[in-house]
RNA sequence: GCGCCCUUAGCUCAGUGGAUAGAGCGUCCGGCUACGAACCGGGAGGUCGCAGGUUCGAAUCCUGCAGGGCGCACCA
């Protein structure tokens, strides 16, 4: 619809220019917007104000000339000039009613667009270190990345979800040493717990499992042998745990990418990805040697300082692996768009990573979304956590307590760059204070109406009922109540909201829309009785109800939240 | 010290350079003899942190300042 309105304005401007009613040096860009105020119509354009200066006429006079050529279209009920020179366009009831047909025909494809043009996009998110449980911030980024992937899919990208596993490096060694120390304790051996070891109780749990599986034999091997074996055992356990918890919130990754593969020789037995990526940068002249180390000249791309890739001792830095990882994303796998979601505590790495992507020859293909942190509250009081002792409320704890729907919805309700206060008590509350129930209630209420209309109170799925109840020749022209028209307008916004949310990488716009749509429905429900004596009106309103159900289910699906038919 | 994010109603937060800045919660008043009251209607409540600038028009863009969060390793 917005495209139609835009060309209507554009054509009117051209016609006025052709007729000599306006003369312009430069044709202004045509933009249309939805006015906040209903009395200002369905759409408005500021083109007259933008053109006024060049035309040498007052804005309202320019508006007169343009709007005179906009009437007569069957979708347009009125064109008015208002304020400093806005042209306000009011749609006809027929134009508004069409959204009901579209939604019911297109169903899960409603609001789909081709912004992505079939390009391949990768969303990499969570990527928690496989040495312990995830914190609630990881939960937020999981919800964010998954919903963003769903959104991108709806606007025409081919999307893959990826989890990068940092399974190499000193933290893995520390992890192994910690497990080994607890294991020895369990075997009643004298042992000093490593200074910087992980002190969480889960370490002991892992050690206990190994003990149960394999007995005490590892107590008498060399420390190196023991730790090397425990590292793999514990790593496998934690990885399985991560998958399990994420899956519990409905987040499934297409690829779990191991950092180790970047260090290992290539598939053809040739050099590793790290070696090849650095070679690539060397070719383009961004590598230099100094003080025995190999450096990347990231300052050429606006970074604060140059960065070490290979240390004087020969080891590669984490950053070197990260460059190789992104080299793989672009060069080997050929993604057109790569979105990495990082926690706010990594924002200091943004510039160097962007520099690396540019130096590899892929500027603009990498986007870094910074997710702010989560503060946990319970009944308004901060939940204190100690990293040192490992005492914390994990993502898993939270998920167990509030459930996947409330967790996802709350995680997604705030804009990404805003720190999130998560109140556990509120998320658990099954009341109107809790927005996720407000939206789900609207959906359940609709399903109840459809079951009642079909006289099938025990039906498990209302979709076939709705299809049978509302025939193709339903007369939507019967619908003109203010509450009905308001609901049509809200339904018609869906496609725009999806496009904006996807483009701005802002799933929180969907939660807002979901609440607005639910509110529009509840208002309609209050004043428009659906099932009544007039079969034609009943059929028409059942179509409205069904269209609303479809869009509510769809917006919740994009959020990854369930749409229950009863609650 | 440098960089990034934030500052909007009592609270938690929306707000693509547009018209009288919105929502939820809280508060006050009102609405169930028809489809789910987990709902709906109405009222009160704002110097959009402060000061300049750009613009026909600024919560939005630019500069400076103040306050809060996070980060500044040849760690990962």
């Amino acid at each position: 619809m917005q495209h139609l309105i835009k060309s209507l304005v554009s054509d009117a401007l051209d016609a006025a220019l052709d007729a000599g009613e306006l003369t312009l040096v430069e044709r202004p860009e045509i933009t249309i917007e939805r006015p906040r105020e209903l009395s200002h119509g369905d759409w408005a354009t500021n083109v007259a104000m933008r053109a006024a200066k060049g035309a040498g006429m007052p804005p309202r006079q320019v508006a007169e000339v343009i709007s005179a050529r906009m009437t007569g279209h069957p979708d347009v009920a009125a064109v008015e000039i208002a304020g400093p020179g806005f042209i306000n366009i009011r749609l006809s009831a027929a134009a508004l009613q069409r959204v009901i047909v579209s939604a019911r025909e297109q169903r899960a494809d409603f609001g789909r667009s081709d912004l992505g043009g079939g390009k391949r996009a990768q969303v990499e998110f969570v990527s928690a270190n496989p040495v312990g449980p995830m914190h609630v911030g990881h939960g937020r980024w999981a919800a964010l990345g998954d919903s963003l992937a769903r959104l991108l899919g709806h606007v025409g990208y081919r999307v893959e979800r990826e989890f990068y596993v940092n399974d190499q490096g000193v933290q893995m060694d520390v992890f192994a040493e910690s497990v080994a120390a607890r294991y020895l304790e369990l075997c009643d051996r004298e042992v000093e717990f490593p200074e910087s070891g992980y002190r969480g109780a889960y370490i002991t749990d892992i050690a206990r499992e190994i003990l149960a599986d394999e007995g005490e034999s590892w107590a008498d091997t060399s420390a190196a042998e023991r730790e090397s074996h425990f590292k793999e055992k514990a790593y496998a356990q934690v990885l399985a745990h991560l998958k399990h918890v994420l899956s519990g919130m409905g987040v499934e990754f297409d690829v779990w990418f191991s950092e180790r593969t970047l260090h290992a020789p290539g598939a053809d037995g040739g050099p590793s990805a790290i070696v090849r990526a650095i070679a690539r940068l060397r070719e383009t002249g961004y590598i230099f040697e100094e003080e025995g180390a190999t450096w990347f000249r990231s300052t050429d791309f606006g970074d604060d300082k140059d960065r070490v890739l290979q240390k004087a001792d020969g080891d590669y830095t984490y950053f070197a692996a990260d460059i190789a990882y992104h080299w793989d994303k672009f060069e080997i796998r050929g993604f057109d768009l790569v979105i990495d979601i990082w926690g706010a505590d990594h924002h200091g790495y943004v510039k160097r990573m962007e520099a690396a992507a540019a130096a590899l020859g892929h500027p603009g293909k990498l986007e870094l979304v910074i997710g702010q942190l989560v503060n946990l509250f319970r009944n308004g009081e901060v939940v204190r956590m100690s990293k040192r002792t490992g005492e914390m409320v994990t993502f898993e704890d939270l998920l167990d307590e509030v459930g996947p729907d409330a967790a996802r919805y709350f995680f997604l309700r705030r804009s990404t760059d805003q720190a999130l206060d998560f109140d556990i008590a509120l998320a658990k509350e099954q009341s109107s204070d809790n927005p996720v129930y407000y939206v789900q209630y609207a959906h359940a209420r609709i399903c109840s109406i459809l079951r009642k209309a079909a006289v099938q109170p025990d039906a498990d799925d209302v979709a076939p009922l709705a299809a049978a109840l509302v025939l193709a020749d339903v007369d939507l022209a019967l619908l003109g109540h203010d509450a009905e028209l308001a609901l049509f307008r809200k339904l018609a916004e869906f496609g725009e909201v999806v496009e904006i949310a996807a483009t701005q990488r802002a799933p929180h716009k969907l939660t807002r829309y979901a609440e607005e749509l639910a509110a529009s429905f509840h208002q309609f429900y209050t004043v428009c009785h659906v099932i009544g004596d007039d079969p034609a009106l009943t059929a028409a309103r059942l179509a409205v109800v069904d269209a609303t159900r479809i869009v509510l289910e769809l917006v919740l699906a994009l959020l990854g939240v369930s749409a229950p038919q009863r609650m």
Side-chain angles (χ1 to χ4, degrees), chain A residues 172 227-237 260:
Chain A
M172 288 294 285
E227 283 162 18
S228 146
H229 176 73
F230 282 17
K231 185 193 281 186
E232 299 314 308
K233 287 283 287 188
Y235 169 35
Q237 275 197 36
R260 289 176 183 176

Side-chain angles (χ1 to χ4, degrees), chain A residues 441-508:
Chain A
Y441 178 68
H443 184 266
R445 206 179 204 189
I446 287 172
C447 294
S448 173
I449 296 170
L450 292 170
R451 285 191 299 265
K452 170 125 183 160
V455 202
Q456 293 203 35
D458 300 321
D460 290 330
D461 182 13
V462 301
L465 302 185
L469 281 167
V470 186
L471 303 175
D473 62 351
V474 60
D475 184 9
L476 296 172
L478 295 169
L479 307 173
H481 193 285
D482 281 351
E484 286 168 334
L485 298 180
L487 181 53
F488 299 167
R489 289 187 171 97
K490 192 51 71 180
L491 290 168
E493 267 179 47
F494 179 69
E496 300 153 39
V497 171
V498 169
E499 284 198 4
I500 290 170
T503 306
Q504 298 182 359
R505 326 295 186 216
H508 78 275

Side-chain angles (χ1 to χ4, degrees), chain A residues 21 111 116-117 129 134 197-198 201 212 258 289-290 392 465 482 525 560 562:
Chain A
E21 293 166 354
N129 293 328
M134 290 175 284
Y198 300 128
S258 159
E289 319 288 336
E290 198 173 285
M392 61 187 282
L465 302 185
D482 281 351
Y525 174 89
S562 72

Side-chain angles (χ1 to χ4, degrees), chain A residues 167-223:
Chain A
D167 51 6
Q168 172 138 358
V170 296
Q171 62 181 357
M172 288 294 285
D173 299 335
V174 172
F175 178 45
E177 287 163 24
S178 305
V179 173
R182 294 301 186 207
Y183 173 87
L184 292 174
E185 282 173 15
L186 291 170
C187 297
D188 291 322
R189 304 297 174 101
E190 276 295 312
V191 59
E192 197 167 323
F193 196 78
E195 176 76 21
S196 57
Y198 300 128
R199 292 170 189 279
Y202 69 95
I203 296 286
T204 311
D205 295 340
I206 293 170
R208 194 173 289 119
E209 278 197 43
I210 294 175
L211 181 61
D213 280 359
E214 307 188 8
E216 294 193 10
S217 58
W218 291 99
D220 297 314
T221 63
S222 74

